[in-house]
């Protein structure tokens, strides 16, 4: 395994998948403000994909509390290597192929990354001997409920996933609940939430961007 990342001040260490997303960037701000050393996993790309965290990320020699690592939830050995190097106290799994429509076009990849990817992370933690140390958070979704509605949806509402994305996320939800090796695991069932960092392919940003273009006269 690779050498561990230095932590001379013995700070709490958090590992965030999906760090470049809307939630990942806000979570990173919060953790840094609390004095954590934060590590993020990003996918390799030929174009820059760190726009939401550029205001946080600097040369590690100048700002040693934030580190980025190339990785992917579909690569077990890569995840194990990162976990071994980072030695996290907390792992936040926010990464996913999260577009519902795209999940029908890329069903196998969505299942692999969003479902089995969660199991790979848990197994990497176990393989590195960190099950008694790590607290694990899984970002789950209201898509688990699908077409089932009550006046007030809560944790007792039956799951009824209606897309490959939702099915993959249901696997991830239950593997965190049922993982048999004593890890401290939590699921957060997240409903739609918006911010200026929301991706432009989601419906709310599509609407607001269209309103802006109409106001500028570039779209009817």
């Amino acid at each position: 395994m690779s050498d561990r990342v230095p932590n001379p001040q013995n700070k709490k260490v958090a590992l965030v998948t999906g760090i470049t997303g809307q939630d990942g960037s806000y979570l990173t701000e919060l953790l840094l403000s609390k004095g954590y050393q934060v590590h993020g996993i990003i996918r390799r790309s030929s174009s820059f994909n760190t726009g939401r965290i550029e205001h946080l990320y600097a040369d590690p020699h100048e700002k040693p509390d934030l580190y980025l690592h190339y990785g992917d939830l579909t690569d077990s050995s890569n995840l194990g290597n990162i976990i071994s190097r980072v030695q996290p106290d907390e792992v936040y799994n926010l990464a996913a192929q999260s577009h519902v429509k795209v999940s029908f076009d890329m069903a196998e990849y969505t299942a692999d990354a969003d479902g089995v990817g969660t199991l790979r992370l848990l197994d990497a933690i176990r393989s590195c001997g960190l099950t008694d140390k790590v607290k694990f958070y899984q970002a789950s979704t209201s898509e688990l409920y699908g077409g089932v509605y009550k006046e007030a949806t809560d944790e007792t509402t039956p799951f009824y996933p209606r897309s490959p994305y939702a099915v993959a996320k249901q696997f991830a939800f239950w593997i965190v609940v049922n993982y048999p090796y004593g890890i401290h695991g939590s699921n957060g069932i997240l409903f739609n939430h918006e911010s200026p960092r929301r991706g432009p392919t989601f419906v709310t940003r599509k609407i607001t961007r269209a309103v802006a273009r109409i106001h500028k006269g570039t779209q009817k």
Side-chain angles (χ1 to χ4, degrees), residues 117-174:
T118 302
L119 177 58
R120 291 190 184 100
L121 265 178
L122 292 168
D123 281 345
I125 293 167
R126 179 172 65 91
S127 296
C128 292
L130 299 175
T131 50
D132 293 334
K133 175 186 179 185
V134 169
K135 293 183 178 179
F136 184 88
Y137 174 83
Q138 169 66 18
S140 198
T141 172
S142 61
E143 291 289 329
L144 294 178
Y145 298 118
V148 177
Y149 298 99
K150 290 167 46 176
E151 286 188 12
T153 300
D154 59 27
E155 293 91 337
T156 66
T157 303
F159 291 155
Y160 186 23
R162 303 296 297 274
S163 68
Y165 167 70
V167 171
K169 281 290 193 176
Q170 183 165 349
F171 175 91
F173 178 96
W174 284 118

Side-chain angles (χ1 to χ4, degrees), residues 7 10-14 35-38 89-90 135:
N7 184 12
N10 200 30
K11 295 186 174 184
K12 274 195 172 182
V13 178
Y36 279 67
Q37 184 185 91
V38 180
D89 300 292
E90 300 169 10
K135 293 183 178 179

Side-chain angles (χ1 to χ4, degrees), residues 49-97:
N49 57 357
T50 56
R52 293 185 180 96
I53 58 171
E54 280 181 353
H55 64 294
L56 299 173
Y57 188 69
D59 186 322
H61 297 291
E62 299 175 9
K63 188 177 177 61
D65 290 337
L66 178 58
Y67 296 83
L68 299 181
H69 308 266
Y70 287 124
D72 196 290
L73 292 178
T74 63
D75 189 332
S76 300
S77 61
N78 166 255
L79 294 175
N81 188 40
I82 292 173
I83 296 284
S84 177
R85 291 190 64 212
V86 171
Q87 294 287 301
D89 300 292
E90 300 169 10
V91 175
Y92 299 88
N93 185 28
L94 311 184
Q97 191 303 101

